[in-house]
Amino acid sequence: MSLTLSIDGERWRQHLLTTVAQHPGIIPVAKGNGYGFTVARLARRAQWLDEHAAETGARLDVLAIGTYDEVEQAASRYDGDLLVLTPWRPFGPALRLDGRTATRVVHTVSRAADLAQLRERDPGARFVLEQLTSMRRHGMSRRELATAAEALEADSGRSGLRGVAMHLPLNTTSHLGEVSRLINDVVASGLPTRTVFVSHLTHAELAQLATSYPDFTVRPRIGTALWLGDRGALTVTATVLDVHDVERGETFGYRGRTAPKGGHIVVVSGGTAHGIGLEAPTGDQSLKARAATLARGGMDAVGFVRSPFSIDGKQRLFAEPPHMQASLLFVPSGARVPRIGEEIDVRVRFTATCFDRVVID
Ligand SMILES: *Cc1c(COP(=O)(O)O)cnc(C)c1O
């Protein structure tokens, strides 16, 4: 009845342990839908990873989460520090933290004004300063970092500064040039820290940085490559809920479409509520839209759009746009028709999918 994520537990756990062992100082990232696993499950797993420090060679003292709204979900399942990736602002949930968990939070500060306000409200606050990168999302320029350094110095060492954070773009050929420039700016700023938090560096890039900046501690924040790094350990399936024969010309679906040829309407679990197929054109059957989709190879000649569901290894077409919790597929005559109750494979974007069940064996 469900859209299910099945995990080969032994294989997944082994991949997690290996990844942590390969990345000293790793800060696992658990945010949003928890990469499909939920933040709660990843927080518990981070605790488990810390308990296996003897195997990985390193304690896991910090877990990164995305927002202040995620603090409670993680805090009750993981004992260490919680680094909030969304920068602190003088409004919203950052100001409503529970007193007991507040002391475990490490804030991200990306503006000089926020640094002053945060420390005024909570003189003991621990934080990282975010540095602006080529992403241009959040962060302080070289000049702003220098200003922050002066403000912290004026406060006679009572600084909760834990390091400088940089968020790097994906898939650039090499980050090393940019990271070197950014680290040089940290040095020039006079900030009293030699710890940088980075994202999206390869293993080789991290090794290179360790050689080039031996006095720096580089801590990689890793989400995808940790939780989703061994896709072979993860299987996503939907359940076949119903099957109906259709003759050419018979109607089906919310919009009363007629079947362009004979075959079967196969109803499977998984719809928009799970994040299924939102990229498919919804109801726009104008000639132009169809031509565009056809040109991308996403639609067959009779106007059906490719779905992420496959049967016997063959990707099947949506008979119409996905419904909230189910989808209608079209299986042409001649192909094997799955039986009701059968599980079929689904290809999903894990960071955008909400599973009904996560099963770890
Ligand atoms: C999500 C996120 C990460 C982790 O990214 P992955 O690609 O999942 O490894 C690291 N840093 C920041 C600031 C993020 O928001």
Side-chain angles (χ1 to χ4, degrees), residues 29 31 35 85 130 137 167 170 199-200 221-225:
V29 177
K31 65 181 178 191
Y35 293 82
L85 297 174
E130 180 153 4
R137 192 165 79 173
H167 194 33
L170 286 160
S199 57
H200 301 146
R221 294 180 307 249
I222 305 181
T224 307

Side-chain angles (χ1 to χ4, degrees), residues 310-316 345:
S310 48
I311 300 170
D312 298 334
K314 180 155 173 46
Q315 212 176 338
R316 287 301 174 192
D345 288 327

Side-chain angles (χ1 to χ4, degrees), residues 20-356:
V20 170
Q22 280 171 348
H23 295 89
I26 185 175
I27 299 177
V29 177
K31 65 181 178 191
N33 71 342
Y35 293 82
F37 303 91
T38 72
V39 168
R41 187 174 278 103
L42 296 187
R44 267 200 304 274
R45 192 50 62 181
Q47 183 67 30
W48 177 87
L49 281 166
D50 186 40
E51 284 156 13
H52 285 70
E55 275 166 70
T56 61
R59 289 296 305 274
L60 212 149
D61 57 343
V62 190
L63 173 67
I65 53 176
T67 64
Y68 286 94
D69 294 303
E70 292 164 349
V71 167
E72 291 304 322
Q73 288 171 68
S76 55
R77 296 166 174 99
Y78 170 75
D79 284 346
D81 287 342
L82 297 166
L83 170 63
V84 181
L85 297 174
T86 301
W88 187 89
R89 291 287 185 260
F91 49 76
L95 308 187
R96 295 192 294 269
L97 285 177
D98 180 280
R100 278 161 313 176
T101 44
T103 55
R104 289 167 53 199
V105 167
V106 178
H107 305 274
T108 297
V109 174
S110 69
R111 304 187 305 174
D114 292 341
L115 180 62
Q117 285 222 41
L118 170 63
R119 301 183 76 230
E120 196 181 304
R121 285 170 187 272
D122 177 6
R126 296 176 304 154
F127 56 90
V128 298
L129 293 180
E130 180 153 4
Q131 188 175 16
L132 195 66
T133 69
S134 59
M135 288 250 302
R136 303 211 168 265
R137 192 165 79 173
H138 303 295
M140 299 165 90
S141 65
R142 175 189 181 147
R143 183 163 340 113
E144 288 170 300
L145 289 180
T147 308
E150 282 162 25
L152 294 177
E153 199 181 324
D155 208 1
S156 64
R158 273 217 57 205
S159 160
L161 178 65
R162 286 293 176 272
V164 174
M166 35 189 92
H167 194 33
L168 299 159
L170 286 160
N171 301 327
T172 53
T173 39
S174 171
H175 293 102
L176 283 179
E178 178 168 11
V179 175
S180 302
R181 278 194 303 282
L182 293 168
I183 293 183
N184 291 342
D185 286 351
V186 173
V187 174
S189 73
L191 280 170
T193 184
R194 287 291 175 269
T195 302
V196 293
F197 299 77
V198 299
S199 57
H200 301 146
L201 295 187
T202 64
H203 197 245
E205 287 172 328
L206 287 165
Q208 180 63 50
L209 280 182
T211 311
S212 308
Y213 297 93
D215 54 332
F216 269 82
T217 302
V218 178
R219 304 205 57 178
R221 294 180 307 249
I222 305 181
T224 307
L226 178 67
W227 311 118
L228 301 173
D230 185 0
R231 290 295 170 98
L234 311 173
T235 313
V236 179
T237 53
T239 315
V240 174
L241 301 175
D242 232 326
V243 177
H244 307 286
D245 301 338
V246 278
E247 304 283 337
R248 180 190 155 99
E250 282 186 321
T251 56
F252 65 87
Y254 274 129
R255 292 175 181 77
R257 265 193 97 169
T258 50
K261 55 186 177 183
H264 298 86
I265 299 295
V266 175
V267 186
V268 297
S269 56
T272 54
H274 303 92
I276 291 290
L278 296 175
E279 73 279 18
T282 45
D284 181 358
Q285 291 301 321
S286 73
L287 265 182
K288 204 171 147 209
R290 285 179 58 168
T293 315
L294 191 56
R296 288 199 305 271
M299 188 187 269
D300 83 344
V302 296
F304 287 140
V305 174
R306 199 192 301 153
S307 86
F309 299 90
S310 48
I311 300 170
D312 298 334
K314 180 155 173 46
Q315 212 176 338
R316 287 301 174 192
L317 303 165
F318 278 125
E320 72 168 359
H323 303 175
M324 195 150 167
Q325 293 180 306
S327 294
L328 269 53
L329 309 180
F330 182 78
V331 175
S333 305
R336 184 184 74 87
V337 180
R339 63 182 165 73
I340 292 169
E342 189 173 326
E343 295 288 303
I344 65 170
D345 288 327
V346 195
R347 213 184 50 200
V348 297
R349 251 178 82 194
F350 285 86
T351 52
T353 306
C354 176
F355 297 102
D356 294 310

